[in-house]
Amino acid sequence: MSATVAALLPVILVIASGYLIAKTGLITDEQWRGVERLAYLVLFPAVLFQTISQADFTSFPTFDMGGALLATIAVMATLLFIMRPILERSLGIAAVRFTSIFQGTLRWNAMIALAIANNFAGETGLALLAVAMVFLIPVVNIMSIVVLSRFASGSAPSSAKIFKDLYTNPFILSIGAGVVFNFSGLSLPLVFSDTLEIFARAALPIGIICVGAGLDLGSLRKPGPALALGTFLRPVFMPLVAFGFATLFGIDGTALAVVIIASSVPCASNSYLLARQMGGDAKLMAEIVTLQTLSATVTIPLALLVFT
């Protein structure tokens, strides 16, 4: 438990620092958007490419991890679809609010996950987390778009738009480039490797500072069943299901810890943008992201303590 807290506490403190910096107005909203774009388009893709291009995937349970994580997503999505009409009848949770519960349960903040995996297990943790991203990012993005298209009030994107969003996603592009380079057998020239290392060192602190800056504590004034479900289905049940499938696939050690991290970190902050663009309940989505991030200070250490 002490090792887990030691790995998480720096991440939590940097998130809190981002929130305090934003509140002081030291950096304006427009400037924050630029910092977020820098992290999303340049710094984190550099981390992913560097990590994946140099990783020895034969030493990792790559496909076992992928199978366990995809099975976890499939089970949780199925349970949510079974629950949807019940939630509407018994709690009055409309379909448009269901889309935020869906995203809050299935989507995950890769920036926080990378920072925790790095603190928890160094380069091995980063490489294993990158494996999780290879399997999860495309699938979860497609599922979220499809659910919003079906249940939200906005217009549904065309299949061409969905495909474009995926193949222009900088995380997916950097993962793909890293995989291709890894299997090519080539080595990066030292000058490029050192350059990527500098980008990588900047990515994790800047990314999680942006997470803190995006927190909106004022949105938590009116709790209700939709917010409670959207917040706690992920940190309570997702790690439990992931642990079950990880055990079934024979995953243990650091790989198991990374599976639990990927399953218990808060929802991705860009879920709010997707909800707003596609006519979902963006306000509920912002509340879920904020409350999940705050509760993660307790739920992630507990999940790692119980399941690893």
Side-chain angles (χ1 to χ4, degrees):
M1 183 63 176
S2 60
T4 301
V5 172
L8 282 168
L9 190 56
V11 178
I12 294 166
L13 291 176
V14 175
I15 290 173
S17 299
Y19 176 77
L20 292 175
I21 291 170
K23 280 300 178 183
T24 63
L26 183 64
I27 299 176
T28 66
D29 288 344
E30 184 178 350
Q31 289 169 335
W32 276 119
R33 302 295 82 78
V35 175
E36 289 171 355
R37 285 178 60 81
L38 174 66
Y40 182 70
L41 295 174
V42 179
L43 300 182
F44 272 88
V47 172
L48 293 173
F49 177 80
Q50 180 200 41
T51 302
I52 292 174
S53 65
Q54 299 177 7
D56 180 9
F57 288 109
T58 60
S59 65
F60 300 144
T62 301
F63 291 103
D64 289 336
M65 283 183 64
L69 288 166
L70 291 177
T72 300
I73 292 294
V75 167
M76 293 300 295
T78 301
L79 289 174
L80 286 168
F81 284 125
I82 292 172
M83 289 169 58
R84 197 202 70 76
I86 301 171
L87 294 175
E88 188 164 10
R89 287 196 304 267
S90 61
L91 297 176
I93 297 176
V96 68
R97 291 173 71 77
F98 169 78
T99 62
S100 294
I101 295 173
F102 186 91
Q103 284 205 89
T105 302
L106 295 190
R107 299 194 71 171
W108 60 305
N109 194 313
M111 293 184 181
I112 295 179
L114 281 166
I116 295 173
N118 180 59
N119 278 13
F120 195 83
E123 291 185 3
T124 300
L126 283 177
L128 286 166
L129 203 283
V131 169
M133 295 176 75
V134 168
F135 288 95
L136 289 183
I137 287 179
V139 172
V140 172
N141 273 276
I142 291 172
M143 292 175 72
S144 297
I145 291 171
V146 169
V147 167
L148 279 158
S149 300
R150 171 66 179 83
F151 295 109
S153 58
S155 58
S158 65
S159 56
K161 174 66 167 59
I162 294 173
F163 183 67
K164 181 181 178 182
D165 287 343
L166 291 174
Y167 75 71
T168 58
N169 183 302
F171 283 15
I172 294 175
L173 288 175
S174 57
I175 288 169
V179 169
V180 170
F181 196 88
N182 185 299
F183 285 100
S184 72
L186 300 173
S187 297
L188 278 175
L190 185 60
V191 63
F192 292 116
S193 179
D194 289 347
T195 301
L196 287 174
E197 177 64 27
I198 293 172
F199 278 128
R201 288 199 299 267
L204 299 181
I206 289 177
I208 55 180
I209 282 175
C210 289
V211 170
L215 294 180
D216 180 13
L217 301 186
S219 67
L220 304 177
R221 294 171 185 167
K222 295 181 180 179
L227 177 57
L229 286 169
T231 300
F232 294 110
L233 280 176
R234 176 173 178 80
V236 174
F237 292 104
M238 184 80 84
L240 176 62
V241 176
F243 175 75
F245 281 114
T247 302
L248 182 65
F249 280 83
I251 300 168
D252 56 14
T254 305
L256 173 60
V258 169
V259 167
I260 298 303
I261 289 169
S263 303
S264 58
V265 291
C267 176
S269 54
N270 59 7
S271 302
Y272 168 79
L273 298 177
L274 187 62
R276 190 172 63 184
Q277 290 168 2
M278 295 188 62
D281 192 328
K283 184 178 183 300
L284 175 61
M285 195 71 255
E287 294 170 349
I288 290 171
V289 170
T290 298
L291 192 53
Q292 275 196 12
T293 304
L294 293 175
S295 63
T297 59
V298 175
T299 57
I300 296 176
L302 284 176
L304 287 168
L305 175 65
V306 171
F307 297 116
T308 62

